[in-house]
Amino acid sequence: MGAEQVRDGFVALYGAEPDGIWSAPGRVNLIGEHTDYNDGFVMPFALPHTAIAAVSRRADGRLRLHSADVESGVVELALDDLAPESDRTWTAYPAGVVWALREAGHPVTGADIHLSSTVPSGAGLSSSAALEVVVALALNDLYGLGLQRWQLARLCQRAENVYVGAPTGIMDQTASACCEAGHALFLDTRDLSQKQIPLDLAAEGMRLLVVDTQVKHAHSDGEYGKRRAGCEKGAALLGVDALRDIPYAELDAALARLGDEEEVRRLVRHVVTEDERVERVVSLLESGETRAVGPVLTEGHASLRDDFRISCPELDLVVDTALAAGALGARMTGGGFGGSAIVLAEAADVDTLTKAVEEAFAAAGFTAPRVFEAVPAAGARRLS
């Protein structure tokens, strides 16, 4: 659904023109998985798939929410009644942003919001972050709050962590808010310093495919939280603020200090090696060795599968099949337990790879995957 359709939907619902229309994208993470809540490095880029919001201010302390994608009608809430983990439906994401803004002292007095999104839900492509960021940007503009993009991302993360109850890191919201078209975002999640890295695969005869396995995941489920808690335990046992502080060159010594804490050892090994993989990919892209990124992606998948243990049969099948069919590299992307994988391929091999993955899924009796090309797109912005 485009901006004009969203505007028309707003008018039909609320009987007036919106004050404006905004969009915020989903993201795919090139490399750097489960490092963001360990103060580490990540490298996402924005997708062309976006959440679009038509929004108007209200002055009566009421929040009215509607989604073109959910059959729930208009949901009306009182701002004073918003409370963490009080909502287990889609409205928790936009309502959580309003709660986070008000809790931080920003004078938001209400809003009418109509939303529509083309970001696949539950596919590991940050559909929730897109909803959060588009609402935050709209309210920032409408109320003249003057918040910078990284500050909006922080507030959106707080909404997801505290209001929704999902213990996610800062990457998804920052990617949606800050990415630039034609670039991947090299982000240090400790201080939110950023570097835009040019990424034009088509110019080099390559493509990056996203394979949505159609296996849904939910970050608020317990397994994600267990991994985060395990990482925090590892940092405490090693006497550091976060696993980011373990140098790659000292990894073996750190693992030895963990003794028989085998589960924690695996988590620590993944995070420290994944941070190193992000830095390696940045170096390869900046030196023009883009094809050499492929094997690094594949290394990352093995680490997520074997050490972090968050893959699933469908994700492994994508990676194994793509590599066997000639892909340069492949890995799962996102929080895990389902969702999507990415495949770096020569442009000439895309059709062959896609067919191979689709046939493998059919032979395994899995739901047919959704395959599309990922091209680095623009971050959140006002449309009108």
Side-chain angles (χ1 to χ4, degrees):
M1 184 176 289
E4 288 302 320
Q5 290 171 297
V6 174
R7 173 188 280 111
D8 292 345
F10 184 98
V11 172
L13 287 164
Y14 302 124
E17 288 284 333
D19 292 339
I21 300 175
W22 291 259
S23 75
R27 66 95 189 97
V28 67
N29 194 23
L30 184 65
I31 192 74
E33 221 64 78
H34 287 267
T35 50
D36 59 346
Y37 54 78
N38 289 291
D39 282 1
F41 304 123
V42 295
M43 199 174 186
F45 62 84
L47 290 169
H49 306 72
T50 60
I52 298 177
V55 185
S56 285
R57 288 177 50 154
R58 294 177 67 95
D60 60 356
R62 308 296 292 180
L63 176 64
R64 292 196 293 181
L65 300 168
H66 184 269
S67 170
D69 311 312
V70 181
E71 294 182 4
S72 62
V74 175
V75 177
E76 185 166 343
L77 303 167
L79 299 190
D80 290 343
D81 292 341
L82 299 180
E85 300 192 51
S86 60
D87 185 356
R88 292 299 181 188
T89 70
W90 70 271
T91 59
Y93 298 102
V97 170
V98 176
W99 170 84
L101 285 167
R102 285 167 54 83
E103 195 214 24
H106 300 294
V108 176
T109 56
D112 287 338
I113 301 175
H114 175 53
L115 291 153
S116 180
S117 179
T118 59
V119 185
S121 177
L125 303 175
S126 298
S127 58
S128 59
L131 285 180
E132 293 158 357
V133 170
V134 74
V135 170
L137 182 61
L139 297 175
N140 186 53
D141 288 354
L142 289 178
Y143 282 94
L145 303 180
L147 296 170
Q148 297 183 52
R149 295 300 182 95
W150 68 267
Q151 292 174 303
L152 293 177
R154 282 284 192 213
L155 285 164
C156 289
Q157 182 200 15
R158 180 161 176 76
E160 187 144 351
N161 288 173
V162 180
Y163 195 91
V164 178
T168 55
I170 191 64
M171 173 181 66
D172 296 351
Q173 293 84 1
T174 306
S176 186
C178 300
C179 278
E180 295 180 4
H183 294 76
L185 178 68
F186 176 37
L187 174 67
D188 182 335
T189 65
R190 169 162 282 169
D191 61 12
L192 295 191
S193 59
Q194 305 173 17
K195 186 175 184 180
Q196 302 285 345
I197 307 294
L199 184 65
D200 187 355
L201 297 175
E204 299 185 60
M206 287 175 284
R207 300 288 188 272
L208 188 74
L209 301 179
V210 175
V211 182
D212 177 2
T213 65
Q214 307 284 347
V215 177
K216 303 301 181 184
H217 72 134
H219 276 171
S220 52
D221 287 351
E223 290 300 318
Y224 187 101
K226 288 178 184 177
R227 300 307 188 278
R228 181 165 185 165
C231 290
E232 291 168 353
K233 180 179 179 180
L237 289 171
L238 292 168
V240 294
D241 291 335
L243 295 183
R244 145 74 174 279
D245 296 313
I246 304 298
Y248 179 70
E250 298 175 18
L251 175 59
D252 288 345
L255 295 178
R257 287 165 56 197
L258 290 171
D260 60 359
E261 293 277 0
E262 183 56 34
E263 180 67 25
V264 175
R265 283 164 55 89
R266 286 196 300 266
L267 299 178
V268 170
R269 183 165 51 227
H270 166 73
V271 173
V272 175
T273 59
E274 187 80 346
D275 274 335
E276 188 274 337
R277 281 187 284 272
V278 177
E279 293 184 294
R280 214 183 329 156
V281 167
V282 171
S283 178
L284 290 169
L285 290 176
E286 291 187 326
S287 63
E289 300 175 77
T290 309
R291 282 173 173 78
V293 167
V296 187
L297 303 184
T298 306
E299 283 179 33
H301 183 76
S303 182
L304 290 162
R305 180 193 64 211
D306 300 337
D307 276 341
F308 232 67
R309 298 187 178 185
I310 58 170
S311 190
C312 66
E314 291 85 353
L315 288 167
D316 292 341
L317 184 60
V318 173
V319 172
D320 294 344
T321 302
L323 293 174
L328 297 167
R331 73 173 190 90
M332 60 155 286
T333 187
F337 312 106
S340 298
I342 55 174
V343 178
L344 182 64
E346 302 288 357
D349 295 338
V350 165
D351 289 345
T352 300
L353 287 167
T354 300
K355 183 180 179 182
V357 170
E358 290 172 343
E359 290 179 347
F361 268 57
F366 295 153
T367 300
R370 178 180 179 227
V371 183
F372 60 92
E373 182 182 350
V375 178
R381 60 200 187 280
R382 185 169 187 164
L383 301 179
S384 67

